[in-house]
Amino acid sequence: MKRTSFAQWPCSIARTMDLLGDWWTPLVLRDAFYGVRRFDEFQHALGIARNTLADRLKRLVDEGLLEKVPYQAEPVRYDYVLTEKGRDFFPVLLAMTRWGDKWLAADAGPPITVHHVSCGHDTHAEIACAECGEPMTPDDTRMRRGPGFPPRLARRPDVEDRFARQE
């Protein structure tokens, strides 16, 4: 069965999920942040089927999150290196880690800790307003249509209702 594409939806969450597509893609990116670079290293670390890994790496390269950098000429072999776009995914992984640590960790505690080298502390991600620095919570945050929201959708009654609830 063919899945629905969210690539053109007027929602950054839907577009991101269209790119991620499955549970393997964020795990490939996670391992790239751990310093994994080579196909066989990803395959070994994740236990993922080679064809599935090849598909995920190709998609991440095509979408500009990873780039292939040759490290061997005969035969040609590549490292998969995070690009700026790929490195910008890091806060997403930290937010997922924080949520999982809070709601899914065993009694022993989180399986991984996040250590901030600059201050020397183990910590967790916080979402803060880029303007004032205050924490952002559902109670004090509202979603509003942005400049890229399609005008034809903005006039639909269900869309108007959705955003009116945010006022």
Side-chain angles (χ1 to χ4, degrees):
M1 181 157 89
K2 187 174 167 86
R3 71 177 181 90
T4 301
S5 174
F6 300 130
Q8 300 305 314
W9 279 36
C11 172
S12 295
I13 295 170
R15 291 176 180 176
T16 301
M17 292 311 299
D18 189 76
L19 170 63
L20 297 178
D22 68 294
W23 52 80
W24 287 117
T25 304
L27 295 177
V28 169
L29 287 167
R30 176 205 63 190
D31 279 11
F33 282 106
Y34 282 166
V36 175
R37 301 220 185 299
R38 298 192 175 157
F39 186 96
D40 289 340
E41 293 173 337
F42 282 110
Q43 202 276 322
H44 178 74
L46 295 169
I48 185 175
R50 294 180 73 79
N51 62 324
T52 302
L53 177 59
D55 290 345
R56 298 316 176 271
L57 288 171
K58 181 180 183 332
R59 172 94 188 219
L60 290 167
V61 168
D62 290 348
E63 293 291 339
L65 281 84
L66 296 175
E67 71 177 311
K68 289 171 66 171
V69 178
Y71 71 86
Q72 177 179 310
E74 297 281 333
V76 177
R77 297 198 189 274
Y78 298 94
D79 280 338
Y80 292 88
V81 179
L82 287 159
T83 63
E84 179 183 2
K85 185 176 180 181
R87 287 187 304 277
D88 273 353
F89 193 75
F90 189 64
V92 177
L93 291 176
L94 287 180
M96 291 171 68
T97 299
R98 178 167 187 209
W99 187 88
D101 288 350
K102 181 174 182 176
W103 296 105
L104 304 174
D107 290 340
I112 304 290
T113 57
V114 176
H115 184 78
H116 189 222
V117 174
S118 295
C119 72
H121 290 92
D122 288 347
T123 190
H124 60 268
E126 287 285 340
I127 303 300
C129 175
E131 298 299 321
C132 70
E134 291 293 317
M136 295 178 69
T137 68
D139 294 334
D140 67 3
T141 305
R142 302 294 178 265
M143 303 300 183
R144 298 175 13 187
R145 287 174 282 223
F149 198 90
R152 65 178 174 72
L153 292 178
R155 293 184 293 273
R156 283 184 15 193
D158 62 315
V159 172
E160 287 178 351
D161 288 345
R162 178 185 322 146
F163 287 101
R165 280 180 271 187
Q166 292 287 311
E167 296 300 320

